[in-house]
Amino acid sequence: MRGARVDEELKGTVPHYLTFEVTNTGRKKIPAAYMVDSNFALNGTDWERGEEAYVSGGRPGGGDLPCADTAPKTLAPGDSYDTCVTYALPDGVGVLSLTYYADGYLDEGGAVATWPVEGGLEAASAELAEPGDIVRVRWDAREDGVLELPARLVSVRRGSAADLAGLDLDLNENERRGVPYYVSVTYTNTGPKDLYADQADQVRLLTEGGRQIPGKTPFVFDTKIPGCPSDWVARTIPPGDSVTECSIHLVTEDADKPFAVGFAQADRPGLVTWRASLH
């Protein structure tokens, strides 16, 4: 990429080049065919999405660049085109998978197609803590600032749609048809003050396909869910005590499976991750 023009924040990252073919199998001309790459996400072995890099420079059309976007503006029935898109990943992070979001929105509950990358899961697995390992997570204690607390993944359990019947959950259409998984994590308050227990929304279910699926919690705090024991009532944890919180994660792609659990760090990028052992 020497000699090319790239955004300043992408300098120091490693470019990855995605080459793909698009074919119009329909009967009508496709307008804005060049926008198809906007629905792709290249997922790193840290379960973060690569940043699409817009590279310019060199000869017109980018013919002398290692990856040139040559997609046409429109695509007639039966026609195809090959093109290339550049993604930037942090140094040392490999590629786990490529996902395509069929509805055009990069949300965790939408319909997707996934292409795994050979060796990606093995590389991601090497960085995971075991389920019973205690690791420190950065917990937002609100007015007391960010604390580092010991945390342990207790279990990941597959549930049933029947478990959620009648619950007041904010689900989209794809999530209502998805498979619920219940993730339980125990935290210990090692600080000098009472700690407010409300960190379940920081937990992510990480899938083999490279998706981060946030948790859902009922709006009614005293709800009881089979397989997901938790004290939904907002309360405080005294110093030295522990609390186990359970979150609900909806996997919407039939072929995708849970692989790990992550905790989104307060005021710091990246996840603390455990290997998921399903029950």
Side-chain angles (χ1 to χ4, degrees), residues 67-135:
C67 181
D69 186 355
T70 57
K73 291 185 177 180
T74 61
L75 192 63
D79 284 358
S80 300
Y81 70 87
D82 293 314
T83 192
C84 183
V85 176
T86 301
Y87 292 89
L89 293 176
D91 190 15
V93 174
V95 182
L96 179 61
S97 65
L98 175 73
T99 50
Y100 181 83
Y101 291 75
D103 55 9
Y105 296 96
L106 298 182
D107 62 28
E108 290 77 6
V112 300
T114 302
W115 292 266
V117 173
E118 185 176 358
L121 273 180
E122 290 81 0
S125 179
E127 303 297 324
L128 300 176
E130 295 302 323
D133 290 350
I134 296 177
V135 297

Side-chain angles (χ1 to χ4, degrees), residues 105-192:
Y105 296 96
L106 298 182
D107 62 28
E108 290 77 6
V112 300
T114 302
W115 292 266
V117 173
E118 185 176 358
L121 273 180
E122 290 81 0
S125 179
E127 303 297 324
L128 300 176
E130 295 302 323
D133 290 350
I134 296 177
V135 297
R136 300 187 73 83
V137 299
R138 294 179 64 81
W139 177 301
D140 184 3
R142 300 184 179 180
E143 65 271 9
D144 292 325
V146 175
L147 304 177
E148 287 196 1
L149 301 182
R152 178 174 62 90
L153 174 63
V154 176
S155 65
V156 179
R157 296 180 178 275
R158 181 185 172 115
S160 166
D163 299 343
L164 310 183
L167 293 186
D168 191 7
L169 290 174
D170 183 18
L171 304 180
N172 63 33
E173 184 175 345
N174 285 301
E175 288 171 329
R176 291 190 184 94
R177 296 194 296 263
V179 177
Y181 287 84
Y182 309 129
V183 176
S184 294
V185 180
T186 295
Y187 310 92
T188 300
N189 180 9
T190 56

